[in-house]
Amino acid sequence: DGDGMIRPVTPHRVLDTRIGHGAPQRKLGAIHFARLQLTNRHPLPSSATAVLLNVTATNTTRDLYVTVWPSGRAMPNTSNLNVRAGATVANLVLCELGPDGQVDLASPVSHVDVVADVVGYVG
C-alpha cells in the first residue's frame, strides 16, 4: 500500500542457474546475466516497488562478486556478494525493481552459479 514497509513472504525460489530455473542452465558472468521478472508472479504483487532477495553464489573457481540492480539501468560498479574461490556465500539484498518489475544479476569478474529466493517486497 505504498507505505515503504518491507512485507515478508514465505521464501520462494526465483533463480537457480545450476538447474536452469529462472534463467538458462549456465553460470552467470559479465556477458551471461540473468533478468528476473518479479512482479505479477507469486509472491510479488504488481504494486511492488522493491524486492528483498536472499542471493547465494556457489561453484566458484576464483574470487568474484555478484551484483543485483534494477533492470533498465546500467550495471553499477558495486557488489552485493563478495565470494572467495571455492566458497558458497549468501547475502540479503534489497533492490529496487525496474519499471518493468524486473531485476538483473551478473558476475562481472568470473563465472558462478547463483540461487535467489524472494523473501519480501516493498510496495
Side-chain angles (χ1 to χ4, degrees), residues 87-121:
T88 295
V89 175
N91 196 26
L92 202 56
V93 176
L94 180 61
C95 184
E96 182 182 352
L97 294 167
D100 51 7
Q102 298 178 342
V103 297
D104 293 332
L105 298 92
S107 173
V109 175
S110 185
H111 295 93
V112 63
D113 277 313
V114 177
V115 178
D117 299 308
V118 171
V119 296
Y121 66 92

Side-chain angles (χ1 to χ4, degrees), residues 30-55:
I31 297 171
H32 299 127
F33 68 95
R35 175 161 289 160
L36 300 177
Q37 177 66 50
L38 295 172
T39 56
N40 294 321
R41 286 184 56 197
H42 176 76
L44 268 69
S46 60
S47 61
T49 58
V51 64
L52 188 62
L53 295 167
N54 184 42
V55 180

Side-chain angles (χ1 to χ4, degrees), residues 12-79:
H12 182 79
R13 178 125 323 146
V14 292
L15 176 66
D16 189 339
T17 62
R18 300 169 301 178
I19 61 170
H21 177 72
Q25 185 179 358
R26 66 177 177 219
K27 292 183 177 192
L28 296 186
I31 297 171
H32 299 127
F33 68 95
R35 175 161 289 160
L36 300 177
Q37 177 66 50
L38 295 172
T39 56
N40 294 321
R41 286 184 56 197
H42 176 76
L44 268 69
S46 60
S47 61
T49 58
V51 64
L52 188 62
L53 295 167
N54 184 42
V55 180
T56 304
T58 190
N59 297 330
T60 62
T61 56
R62 60 180 281 202
D63 296 353
L64 57 86
Y65 66 94
V66 174
T67 299
V68 182
W69 72 98
S71 64
R73 296 188 190 166
M75 180 171 44
N77 292 325
T78 57
S79 66

